[in-house]
Amino acid sequence: MKSLRVVVRHHGGPEVLELVEEDAPHPASGELRVQIIAAGVSFAELLMREGIHPEKTTLPFTPGWDIVGIVDEAGEGASHAMLGKLVAALPIHGGYAQFICLPQDELTSVPTGVDPVEAVSLVLNYVTAYQMMHRLGHPSPGQRVLIHGAAGGVGTALLQLGGLAGLEMYGTASLSDHQIVSDLGARPIDYERADFVKEVHRLTNGGADVVFDGVGEANVWRSFRALRPGGRVIAYGFTSFLQKGRLAGGLRYRLRGILRPLWYAVRAFVSPGRRRILPYSIQYLKRWRPAWFREDLSALLKLLRDGKIKPMVAMRMPLTEARRAQELLGQGGVKGKLVLICNSLASRQGIAEQEQSL
């Protein structure tokens, strides 16, 4: 059986994404093969394509951090009871394909009735938001949080989860996105026309308890200045690295972008007021505490099933348009999750039939 897969053979812009046709892979011992229905398109994949993401991947590689699909083949020693089940995973690479083989313990079951496209929106963005909030930040009901990029994928996830947690929320966004932020229960701040540090102190009369910063670079220290005593900045991203989808300022950004947050964290530690800068990385925490990832993703999938959260899906595009999908994301202005459809969603109908036959 033939299968399509996207390959990056050398670093660069979207033009380096190559679509190849090859024999479908077969699972090794202990692995399950997943027929991928939906794969997320994320900012991290753009950084990996440019060769500047802290998560190093040897060339050539296939992008794709987050996937949802149907288990269709089991390797030796893997559970045949999983065949036909809808599952989600965070492989970090390999998602831009029609099939992927993964160890059984990497897969999380998706509840019956959940839309695969909405489910894949949780795997990276919402787990990131959930863990930053509940594993690292620990804000209490009524506390004040500032969310940068509040209309983006992780930002809207933080807003929805913050609303469930009873937080007082503020979000930076461009003026055109203020309605999205307001609709999700936060006070929008126009980062292009206002100094968010002064605005947060003015609106909260003292500063934020927690700031979620996915911008990186010098913005992390400005976020630190927006804290009240005892507050925390959770630094988790590098959106400042790219401009219009391409590497900004040359490769010096890579080393500087990694070292600067570490320097800021040390500087914060010795500053008065017991304020802290805490780095977060979903892949490192997943490797350190894999059980947490499975627990948190399962909790989010239940919230989705119960209608308590609703991911914003910006666009569904076929796998063959992976290059265009990354171009759109890099240009900015994409509201919500951009998803590649790797196999027909009509396959979703077969899940219930296969579950009934097992």
Side-chain angles (χ1 to χ4, degrees):
M1 179 171 57
K2 295 297 183 180
S3 172
L4 295 177
R5 182 167 65 96
V6 173
V7 177
V8 173
R9 302 190 189 278
H10 56 89
H11 296 133
E15 69 279 356
V16 303
L17 298 182
E18 177 185 345
L19 188 67
V20 300
E21 184 180 46
E22 59 191 7
D23 291 334
H26 293 286
S29 178
E31 289 186 338
L32 294 169
R33 187 175 74 177
V34 179
Q35 181 185 8
I36 300 173
I37 294 176
V41 180
S42 71
F43 191 80
E45 290 147 14
L46 275 64
L47 295 176
M48 291 177 76
R49 186 200 70 211
E50 292 276 358
I52 57 172
H53 195 280
E55 178 71 25
K56 291 302 294 175
T57 301
T58 303
L59 292 168
F61 72 95
T62 293
W65 278 59
D66 42 352
I67 62 104
V68 166
I70 303 169
V71 177
D72 75 341
E73 188 176 329
E76 182 180 354
S79 173
H80 282 69
M82 292 294 291
L83 292 172
K85 301 292 185 180
L86 188 66
V87 295
L90 185 82
I92 299 176
H93 62 271
Y96 288 18
Q98 292 187 312
F99 295 91
I100 190 171
C101 296
L102 295 169
Q104 184 174 324
D105 60 6
E106 288 286 314
L107 306 179
T108 300
S109 295
V110 176
T112 302
V114 170
D115 178 0
V117 172
E118 291 189 346
V120 81
S121 301
L122 305 185
V123 181
L124 178 57
N125 290 351
Y126 276 72
V127 171
T128 293
Y130 189 95
Q131 292 191 330
M132 289 194 299
M133 187 169 289
H134 298 294
R135 301 287 188 184
L136 206 58
H138 303 292
S140 303
Q143 284 195 320
R144 296 155 176 174
V145 300
L146 171 65
I147 298 164
H148 288 297
V154 176
T156 53
L158 283 165
L159 290 177
Q160 291 188 34
L161 296 174
L164 293 176
L167 305 179
E168 182 179 319
M169 301 181 294
Y170 301 85
T172 62
S174 61
L175 188 61
S176 62
D177 292 334
H178 279 200
Q179 192 60 52
I180 294 174
V181 177
S182 297
D183 289 345
L184 291 174
R187 176 77 175 263
I189 296 174
D190 186 353
Y191 68 90
E192 296 174 319
R193 302 182 183 183
D195 183 334
F196 73 80
V197 177
K198 293 180 180 179
E199 277 295 286
V200 167
H201 280 282
R202 181 182 70 83
L203 293 169
T204 63
N205 192 29
D209 294 288
V210 183
V211 179
F212 298 98
D213 191 315
V215 179
E217 284 287 294
N219 201 74
V220 173
W221 191 250
R222 295 185 66 210
S223 293
F224 177 78
R225 291 169 47 216
L227 292 174
R228 66 176 60 243
R232 300 165 300 285
V233 174
I234 313 298
Y236 68 96
F238 311 95
T239 58
S240 62
F241 277 20
L242 295 185
Q243 294 177 3
K244 296 182 179 180
R246 298 304 304 269
L247 178 62
L251 288 174
R252 72 179 188 277
Y253 265 65
R254 179 176 174 184
L255 182 61
R256 191 174 78 181
I258 294 172
L259 295 181
R260 232 186 201 182
L262 296 176
W263 161 239
Y264 288 150
V266 172
R267 186 177 171 188
F269 187 79
V270 298
S271 297
R274 298 176 291 107
R275 296 171 294 172
R276 297 289 182 263
I277 296 175
L278 306 176
Y280 169 82
S281 163
I282 188 172
Q283 70 269 29
Y284 295 145
L285 187 57
K286 177 175 178 281
R287 289 165 182 152
W288 180 46
R289 294 291 183 94
W292 281 5
F293 178 83
R294 292 191 295 270
E295 291 171 13
D296 298 342
L297 179 54
S298 293
L300 288 163
L301 286 166
K302 290 176 182 176
L303 289 174
L304 176 60
R305 178 199 62 192
D306 296 341
K308 295 182 179 179
I309 56 176
K310 181 71 173 177
M312 291 176 56
V313 178
M315 196 178 303
R316 309 175 188 217
M317 304 177 70
L319 177 63
T320 53
E321 294 188 25
R323 180 183 299 181
R324 178 58 179 155
Q326 286 204 355
E327 288 175 348
L328 290 173
L329 185 63
Q331 290 166 3
V334 174
K335 306 299 185 295
K337 187 73 169 180
L338 211 165
V339 178
L340 294 175
I341 304 303
C342 302
N343 284 283
S344 172
L345 282 174
S347 300
R348 183 69 181 88
Q349 183 179 357
I351 298 171
E353 297 171 358
Q354 293 181 61
E355 287 179 342
Q356 290 172 6
S357 66
L358 294 173

CSV table of all heavy atoms in Angstrom, one decimal, residues 114-123 304 309-311 313 316:
chain,number,residue,atom,x,y,z
A,114,VAL,N,-16.2,12.5,19.5
A,114,VAL,CA,-15.4,13.7,19.4
A,114,VAL,C,-14.9,13.9,18.0
A,114,VAL,O,-14.4,12.9,17.4
A,114,VAL,CB,-14.2,13.6,20.4
A,114,VAL,CG1,-13.2,14.7,20.2
A,114,VAL,CG2,-14.7,13.7,21.9
A,115,ASP,N,-15.0,15.1,17.5
A,115,ASP,CA,-14.5,15.4,16.2
A,115,ASP,C,-12.9,15.3,16.2
A,115,ASP,O,-12.3,16.0,17.0
A,115,ASP,CB,-14.9,16.9,15.8
A,115,ASP,CG,-14.4,17.3,14.5
A,115,ASP,OD1,-13.7,16.6,13.8
A,115,ASP,OD2,-14.7,18.5,14.1
A,116,PRO,N,-12.3,14.5,15.3
A,116,PRO,CA,-10.9,14.4,15.2
A,116,PRO,C,-10.1,15.7,15.0
A,116,PRO,O,-9.0,15.9,15.6
A,116,PRO,CB,-10.6,13.4,14.0
A,116,PRO,CG,-11.9,12.7,13.9
A,116,PRO,CD,-13.0,13.6,14.3
A,117,VAL,N,-10.7,16.6,14.3
A,117,VAL,CA,-10.1,17.9,14.0
A,117,VAL,C,-10.0,18.7,15.3
A,117,VAL,O,-9.0,19.4,15.6
A,117,VAL,CB,-10.8,18.6,12.9
A,117,VAL,CG1,-10.2,20.0,12.8
A,117,VAL,CG2,-10.6,17.9,11.6
A,118,GLU,N,-11.1,18.7,16.1
A,118,GLU,CA,-11.1,19.4,17.3
A,118,GLU,C,-10.2,18.7,18.3
A,118,GLU,O,-9.5,19.4,19.1
A,118,GLU,CB,-12.5,19.5,17.9
A,118,GLU,CG,-13.4,20.4,17.1
A,118,GLU,CD,-14.8,20.7,17.7
A,118,GLU,OE1,-15.1,19.9,18.7
A,118,GLU,OE2,-15.5,21.6,17.3
A,119,ALA,N,-10.2,17.4,18.3
A,119,ALA,CA,-9.3,16.6,19.2
A,119,ALA,C,-7.8,16.9,19.0
A,119,ALA,O,-7.1,17.1,19.9
A,119,ALA,CB,-9.6,15.1,19.0
A,120,VAL,N,-7.4,17.0,17.7
A,120,VAL,CA,-6.0,17.3,17.4
A,120,VAL,C,-5.6,18.7,17.9
A,120,VAL,O,-4.5,19.0,18.2
A,120,VAL,CB,-5.7,17.1,16.0
A,120,VAL,CG1,-6.0,18.3,15.1
A,120,VAL,CG2,-4.2,16.8,15.8
A,121,SER,N,-6.6,19.6,18.0
A,121,SER,CA,-6.3,21.0,18.5
A,121,SER,C,-6.0,21.0,19.9
A,121,SER,O,-5.4,22.0,20.4
A,121,SER,CB,-7.6,21.8,18.2
A,121,SER,OG,-8.0,21.9,16.9
A,122,LEU,N,-6.3,19.9,20.7
A,122,LEU,CA,-5.9,19.9,22.1
A,122,LEU,C,-4.5,19.4,22.3
A,122,LEU,O,-3.9,19.7,23.4
A,122,LEU,CB,-6.9,18.9,22.8
A,122,LEU,CG,-8.4,19.1,22.7
A,122,LEU,CD1,-9.2,18.2,23.6
A,122,LEU,CD2,-8.8,20.6,23.0
A,123,VAL,N,-4.0,18.5,21.5
A,123,VAL,CA,-2.8,17.7,21.8
A,123,VAL,C,-1.6,18.6,22.1
A,123,VAL,O,-0.8,18.4,23.0
A,123,VAL,CB,-2.5,16.8,20.6
A,123,VAL,CG1,-1.2,15.9,21.0
A,123,VAL,CG2,-3.7,15.8,20.4
A,304,LEU,N,-13.7,18.4,26.3
A,304,LEU,CA,-14.2,18.6,24.9
A,304,LEU,C,-15.4,17.8,24.7
A,304,LEU,O,-16.4,18.4,24.1
A,304,LEU,CB,-13.1,18.2,23.9
A,304,LEU,CG,-13.4,18.3,22.4
A,304,LEU,CD1,-13.8,19.7,22.0
A,304,LEU,CD2,-12.3,17.8,21.5
A,309,ILE,N,-15.0,23.0,26.7
A,309,ILE,CA,-14.1,23.8,25.9
A,309,ILE,C,-14.4,23.6,24.4
A,309,ILE,O,-15.0,22.6,24.1
A,309,ILE,CB,-12.6,23.3,26.2
A,309,ILE,CG1,-12.4,21.8,26.0
A,309,ILE,CG2,-12.2,23.8,27.6
A,309,ILE,CD1,-11.0,21.4,26.1
A,310,LYS,N,-14.0,24.5,23.6
A,310,LYS,CA,-14.3,24.5,22.2
A,310,LYS,C,-13.2,25.1,21.4
A,310,LYS,O,-13.0,26.3,21.3
A,310,LYS,CB,-15.6,25.3,21.9
A,310,LYS,CG,-16.0,25.3,20.4
A,310,LYS,CD,-16.5,23.9,20.0
A,310,LYS,CE,-17.1,24.0,18.6
A,310,LYS,NZ,-17.6,22.7,18.1
A,311,PRO,N,-12.3,24.3,20.9
A,311,PRO,CA,-11.1,24.8,20.1
A,311,PRO,C,-11.6,25.6,18.9
A,311,PRO,O,-12.6,25.3,18.3
A,311,PRO,CB,-10.4,23.5,19.7
A,311,PRO,CG,-10.9,22.4,20.6
A,311,PRO,CD,-12.3,22.8,20.9
A,313,VAL,N,-10.9,26.2,15.3
A,313,VAL,CA,-10.3,25.6,14.1
A,313,VAL,C,-10.3,26.6,13.0
A,313,VAL,O,-11.4,27.0,12.5
A,313,VAL,CB,-11.0,24.3,13.7
A,313,VAL,CG1,-10.3,23.7,12.5
A,313,VAL,CG2,-11.0,23.3,14.9
A,316,ARG,N,-9.2,23.7,7.6
A,316,ARG,CA,-8.8,22.3,7.3
A,316,ARG,C,-8.3,22.3,5.9
A,316,ARG,O,-9.0,22.6,5.0
A,316,ARG,CB,-10.1,21.4,7.5
A,316,ARG,CG,-10.8,21.6,8.8
A,316,ARG,CD,-12.1,20.8,8.9
A,316,ARG,NE,-12.8,21.1,10.1
A,316,ARG,CZ,-13.5,20.3,10.8
A,316,ARG,NH1,-13.5,19.0,10.5
A,316,ARG,NH2,-14.2,20.6,11.9
